[in-house]
Amino acid sequence: MPLNKARISPMDRGFLFGDGVYEVMAQVDGRIRAKSLHAQRLRSSLDSIGLETSIEQVFTDVERLTKKVGFSTAKIYVQVTRGTADVREHAFPTIVSPTIFITISEFEAIPQFASQAIVRPDIRWRKNHIKSVALLGNVLLMQEARDSAAQEAILYRGEYVTEASTSNVFVIRGQKVVTPPLSDLILPGITRHLVIEIAQLLGISVLEDNIRVDSLPEADGIFLSSSTRGLMPIVSLNPGGCVGNGELTSTFLALQHAYDERLRCYE
Ligand code: PDD
């Protein structure tokens, strides 16, 4: 239906409590990129919050809608919340009927330009492996980036980098690529997963290891990964200044090229 005809109750728990999860997928040349991995992650997010929903039905609806809308290149957003209840009560309702919201909007998949990032403490909650719709921390951090004329905010807890406000972080050191290990502090990014696979295919060694935030300015290169922006190079940090010599490294360019190629054949 047209967006302005869609209605969601003000008693929806997604609205009242941020009680829901979501997925963002990119469709390029008519194909949803890494669909099976997104389906797996949605299943895992739903399981983590104890919300029963048929993933098969969600993806049947996504397929039906993408066909109906007919965009070749689109951003697909799927949100599942714990539905509505008559009273505002934190604990789950006894009977749950999830609200499922799917939007498909046309977008252009363009290679990312050399960008800037602010570096800030990770102010978010402790379960960032769940793709929760409660994104206030991420929203505030991204706005801070925008207010500083940067494109992203790279985050750290204690001494170590976690991820960025809407993407995962990779650091290039010589011929090696390092990314923080999976834990409840970061989202298991689908693009992160693909970058690791691709690096291995290219013979580039990848290390899943902690990255000290104070080591960022000494990196030869830094890039961020997400489904909608692909691989985004960061050439300047605030604070921290120029990354490497401020140019894109050959390792980054090889990975970016291989990523685009690989996605053409990934189910
Ligand atoms: N963001 N980390 C965070 C906090 C994210 O929000 C995202 C994605 C990622 C990268 O995940 P993936 O490679 O699966 O897209 C990492 C999406 C694009 C968004 O919320 O719009």
Side-chain angles (χ1 to χ4, degrees):
M1 64 177 69
L3 197 53
N4 63 6
K5 293 278 186 304
R7 294 287 176 269
I8 293 174
S9 165
M11 293 305 283
D12 192 275
R13 293 177 60 90
F15 174 62
L16 292 177
F17 299 111
D19 184 1
V21 295
Y22 74 107
E23 271 301 316
V24 180
M25 294 169 275
Q27 175 178 297
V28 178
D29 300 332
R31 289 179 64 244
I32 301 175
R33 290 178 153 188
K35 188 173 63 182
S36 54
L37 297 179
H38 283 284
Q40 270 172 36
R41 188 172 61 187
L42 182 58
R43 157 66 45 231
S44 153
S45 291
L46 287 164
D47 287 349
S48 303
I49 68 163
L51 178 50
E52 265 177 49
T53 304
S54 161
I55 297 289
E56 293 70 29
Q57 186 56 51
V58 169
F59 275 82
T60 304
D61 288 342
V62 166
E63 293 287 349
R64 194 166 49 82
L65 286 172
T66 49
K67 283 207 182 76
K68 186 168 172 194
V69 173
F71 295 145
S72 157
T73 303
K75 201 192 274 198
I76 301 168
Y77 179 88
V78 177
Q79 173 169 329
V80 185
T81 77
R82 210 180 307 273
T84 60
D86 294 339
V87 286
R88 182 183 177 279
E89 158 72 54
H90 286 59
F92 302 169
T94 1
I95 300 165
V96 174
S97 170
T99 303
I100 300 174
F101 173 53
I102 303 170
T103 59
I104 303 185
S105 47
E106 212 163 12
F107 100 121
E108 221 185 321
I110 37 167
Q112 293 298 306
F113 54 92
S115 301
Q116 300 182 21
I118 56 169
V119 182
R120 293 291 185 273
D122 195 337
I123 56 172
R124 305 169 305 157
W125 75 330
R126 274 298 305 247
K127 293 199 174 193
N128 298 296
H129 61 298
I130 302 172
K131 204 160 167 60
S132 158
V133 295
L135 288 170
L136 186 55
N138 309 58
V139 165
L140 296 177
L141 289 157
M142 181 53 106
Q143 187 56 40
E144 209 181 328
R146 289 290 152 82
D147 290 343
S148 314
Q151 284 71 44
E152 250 289 22
I154 294 178
L155 313 176
Y156 60 94
R157 260 181 217 266
E159 297 167 349
Y160 299 108
V161 173
T162 52
E163 57 179 341
S165 76
T166 64
S167 46
N168 291 109
V169 177
F170 287 82
V171 162
I172 300 172
R173 291 187 193 135
Q175 307 299 312
K176 244 194 277 164
V177 176
V178 190
T179 192
L182 293 182
S183 73
D184 56 3
L185 298 179
I186 71 170
L187 186 76
I190 305 301
T191 321
R192 176 190 178 282
H193 174 93
L194 296 172
V195 167
I196 293 174
E197 261 187 25
I198 289 160
Q200 283 161 350
L201 286 174
L202 293 178
I204 298 169
S205 85
V206 194
L207 218 60
E208 292 180 72
D209 199 5
N210 290 321
I211 298 171
R212 287 184 65 92
V213 66
D214 58 11
S215 75
L216 285 178
E218 288 136 40
D220 296 314
I222 295 176
F223 67 92
L224 308 179
S225 66
S226 78
S227 300
T228 47
R229 280 165 303 167
L231 275 50
M232 181 164 110
I234 299 297
V235 294
S236 170
L237 299 171
N238 173 11
C242 199
V243 177
N245 60 9
E247 312 238 313
L248 305 188
T249 64
S250 55
T251 305
F252 173 75
L253 292 169
L255 282 170
Q256 193 179 45
H257 177 74
Y259 173 74
D260 287 337
E261 289 300 307
R262 177 118 177 107
L263 281 177
R264 285 183 213 292
C265 55
Y266 212 97
E267 271 310 314

